[in-house]
């Protein structure tokens, strides 16, 4: 399907699913020595690239994208949080809040995807 809205919703759902896995990993490693919190970046990449859509991407490492559907989620390590005595920087309260936020985000995306597919179904059935 070449519909940009469908592709963006699909990529956002993939990012949210990946974020859930990373959050679960963070929570399960709350007591692991020297564990660093992982995070998924997607929305920030999408926001950065929306202003540079007209730029030609000459290298795959460039930020400018010809098409928003080329943006994939990126997993990074969070280093701006306090480190415990064992070198671990997992804050269980932050992770639980992130998990709740991601669940709401995922549900909103599923609702949008269902509406999009419902419109296509209506168009096909008519």
């Amino acid at each position: 399907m070449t519909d940009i809205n469908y592709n963006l919703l699909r990529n956002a759902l993939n990012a949210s699913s990946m974020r859930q896995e990373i959050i679960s990993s963070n929570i399960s490693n709350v007591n692991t020595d020297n564990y660093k919190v992982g995070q998924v970046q997607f929305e920030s990449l999408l926001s950065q690239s929306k202003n540079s859509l007209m730029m030609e991407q000459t290298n795959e490492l460039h930020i400018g994208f010809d098409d928003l559907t080329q943006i994939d989620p990126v997993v990074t390590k969070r280093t701006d949080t306090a480190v415990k005595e064992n070198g671990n920087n997992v804050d269980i309260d932050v992770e639980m809040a992130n998990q709740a936020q991601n669940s709401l985000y995922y549900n909103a995306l599923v609702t949008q995807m269902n509406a999009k597919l419902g419109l296509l179904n209506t168009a096909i059935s008519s």
Side-chain angles (χ1 to χ4, degrees):
M1 192 177 256
T2 58
D3 183 2
I4 191 168
N5 291 329
Y6 173 82
N7 290 331
L8 282 173
L9 282 171
R10 186 191 67 217
N11 288 354
L13 281 166
N14 288 339
S16 182
S17 177
M18 183 184 293
R19 186 173 290 123
Q20 185 62 34
E21 290 176 22
I22 296 297
I23 291 169
S24 295
S25 176
N26 292 342
I27 291 171
S28 66
N29 285 291
V30 69
N31 293 319
T32 303
D33 291 345
N34 298 315
Y35 180 82
K36 302 300 179 209
V37 172
Q39 63 184 8
V40 175
Q41 294 181 346
F42 176 72
E43 294 78 11
S44 60
L45 296 174
L46 194 62
S47 179
Q48 288 173 3
S49 68
K50 75 177 182 181
N51 296 327
S52 60
L53 283 176
M54 298 305 173
M55 294 176 59
E56 182 179 341
Q57 184 181 11
T58 58
N59 184 311
E60 64 184 30
L61 300 176
H62 289 169
I63 292 178
F65 294 93
D66 295 332
D67 183 0
L68 288 175
T69 59
Q70 294 177 359
I71 300 171
D72 290 321
V74 176
V75 177
T76 60
K77 293 294 181 180
R78 189 178 325 141
T79 58
D80 61 347
T81 55
V83 178
K84 300 175 198 166
E85 292 175 8
N86 65 357
N88 183 312
N89 69 344
V90 177
D91 183 341
I92 194 69
D93 293 330
V94 169
E95 296 306 315
M96 296 303 286
N98 288 343
Q99 187 176 40
Q101 179 183 15
N102 189 56
S103 293
L104 291 171
Y105 178 66
Y106 184 85
N107 288 336
L109 290 171
V110 167
T111 300
Q112 289 179 351
M113 183 64 86
N114 286 338
K116 177 73 176 164
L117 294 176
L119 285 173
L120 288 174
N121 188 31
T122 300
I124 291 170
S125 300
S126 297

